[in-house]
Amino acid sequence: MSFLTLDLNLLRVFDAVMTEQNLTRAAGHLAMTQPAVSNAIKRLRESLGDELLIRTAYGVKPTPRAEALWPSVRGALASLEAAVAPETFDVSAAHATFRMAMADATAAMWLPSLMRSIESEAPGINVRMVPLTTREPRPMLLRGDIDLAVGFFPGVAAQLSYETGSPIRHERLYSGKYVCVMRRDHPLAKVELNLDNYCAANHLLVSFSGRAHGLVDEALAQIQRERRILLTVNQFFTAGRVVANSDLITVLPRHLIAATGMTDALAHKELPFQLPAVHLDMLWHERDARSPAHKWLRTHLEKMNTQTQRTVNTLPTPTQAPASSR
């Protein structure tokens, strides 16, 4: 293949298909017919001598050659676009609707500030919240069901950190820790929390799926301990209400305690075993990466880290567990 004879328009089609991972959606993005997109990919395959994209039940899957090629193509096209059409964006005149997925407590923490900014800076922007019922939001982003997901997605974030061909982008917003939460006058609030009295208590688990097994249970299994999960709920707000009015205890990210609305009725303590840090990540699709309105939204969420940290700092310092039980 000679670069001088390569039709560079084929690279625009390749970029759109890699971004969408679907020929029909890529055709819509390019204002082309699907047969025209298929023909363009066929010509690029012949020029490069590689299959590039393999059809699957859910769209197309890139070959290793396509995954290696795409970052260079994407970067070159982005540079050309910036040179030919410099970005100008007036947020006060922008009109856009964003579909966002967050857990209830995350939304309670972050949406008030976002709404104040939209009312004062961007009156033409609307937000539609979609229930977050999974730790794997990538299919929702790939289908275009949502524009942004914010939450704790440990498996996804780890995978994206070393993947090169995924159209999903991510950024870490916040890192915190898990604590044990109970009502303020709970019997365990008055004593040191150790493995024995922790495991002997009745537990509440926040589980999007309803499955009565989570990160805590995996950590306990590694030290040959277990707990009784009496109740699972799928909302942090519900967890706060139940724990504040019962003898159940739960484990929550410390920064989400305030979002339960029950801070004054709750106490929290250091866990008597080790858990990994809890991270708040933001995920979005490559198709929105250069959208000025979408950039404004992501930038605003980045700035809210300071507010989140201030909220956490107003909470009392959790009681330490005895060194011998950690």
Side-chain angles (χ1 to χ4, degrees):
M1 184 207 72
S2 169
F3 181 76
L4 295 177
T5 61
L6 177 66
D7 184 351
L8 297 184
N9 284 318
L10 301 181
L11 297 180
R12 290 182 62 247
V13 177
F14 170 72
D15 176 57
V17 176
M18 287 291 290
T19 297
E20 298 294 342
Q21 307 257 311
N22 182 282
L23 294 180
T24 301
R25 289 197 297 266
H29 176 75
L30 294 166
M32 297 170 62
T33 64
Q34 183 174 328
V37 169
S38 296
N39 183 59
I41 294 299
K42 178 176 180 291
R43 291 170 56 200
L44 187 61
R45 284 169 174 154
E46 294 170 351
S47 297
L48 299 180
D50 188 88
E51 191 68 14
L52 295 178
L53 298 157
I54 301 169
R55 288 184 180 272
T56 70
Y58 303 101
V60 291
K61 178 182 178 181
T63 65
R65 175 74 188 283
E67 290 183 347
L69 179 64
W70 188 37
S72 297
V73 173
R74 173 95 295 279
L77 291 176
S79 297
L80 285 172
E81 183 178 5
V84 173
E87 180 181 292
T88 58
F89 178 62
D90 180 4
V91 68
S92 65
H95 287 83
T97 296
F98 295 111
R99 293 156 298 172
M100 300 170 61
M102 300 182 192
D104 64 304
T106 305
M109 287 282 291
W110 292 58
L111 286 185
S113 175
L114 177 61
M115 292 304 102
R116 287 193 296 270
S117 295
I118 287 177
E119 288 181 322
S120 62
E121 302 174 29
I125 288 181
N126 305 308
V127 175
R128 303 289 180 259
M129 295 304 299
V130 175
L132 182 63
T133 58
T134 176
R135 296 292 186 193
E136 173 50 285
R138 283 180 293 183
M140 300 170 71
L141 289 164
L142 289 170
R143 292 193 303 265
D145 295 341
I146 58 174
D147 304 299
L148 195 73
V150 178
F152 180 43
F153 313 119
V156 176
Q159 189 174 356
L160 290 176
S161 65
Y162 62 80
E163 271 191 2
T164 58
S166 173
I168 304 300
R169 300 290 172 257
H170 83 291
E171 180 179 338
R172 179 140 300 161
L173 293 173
Y174 181 82
S175 292
K177 64 187 298 184
Y178 285 106
V179 292
C180 181
V181 179
M182 63 200 71
R183 61 181 171 87
R184 192 168 290 279
D185 56 349
H186 193 287
L188 292 181
K190 304 176 178 64
V191 298
E192 292 287 357
L193 186 66
N194 56 46
L195 270 172
D196 289 335
N197 56 26
Y198 176 84
C199 292
N202 286 325
H203 293 256
L204 177 150
L205 170 65
V206 180
S207 170
F208 292 155
S209 66
R211 181 170 172 257
H213 187 87
L215 187 68
V216 169
D217 304 286
E218 294 174 4
L220 289 175
Q222 292 179 2
I223 52 177
Q224 289 77 51
R225 301 299 292 262
E226 61 182 8
R227 60 176 179 165
R228 182 200 175 194
I229 297 175
L230 192 154
L231 174 67
T232 66
V233 299
N234 59 11
Q235 293 185 327
F236 291 95
F237 177 78
T238 303
R241 298 285 295 187
V242 172
V243 169
N245 292 279
S246 72
D247 278 340
L248 272 68
I249 65 174
T250 191
V251 172
L252 297 178
R254 187 169 180 242
H255 66 274
L256 293 186
I257 294 176
T260 66
M262 304 297 294
T263 305
D264 292 341
L266 297 174
H268 62 286
K269 291 196 168 194
E270 295 276 7
L271 289 163
F273 51 91
Q274 296 296 321
L275 280 184
V278 55
H279 305 296
L280 196 66
D281 289 312
M282 175 168 60
L283 304 181
W284 67 95
H285 196 285
E286 171 67 26
R287 73 172 74 92
D288 296 315
R290 299 190 311 279
S291 162
H294 204 282
K295 283 183 180 179
W296 177 87
L297 176 65
R298 299 196 307 269
T299 299
H300 181 83
L301 292 177
E302 292 165 4
K303 292 177 179 177
M304 290 168 65
N305 282 333
T306 302
Q307 177 183 335
T308 300
Q309 188 62 57
R310 281 200 302 266
T311 300
V312 174
N313 289 340
T314 63
L315 295 171
T317 302
T319 304
Q320 296 288 333
S324 61
S325 66
R326 294 183 205 163

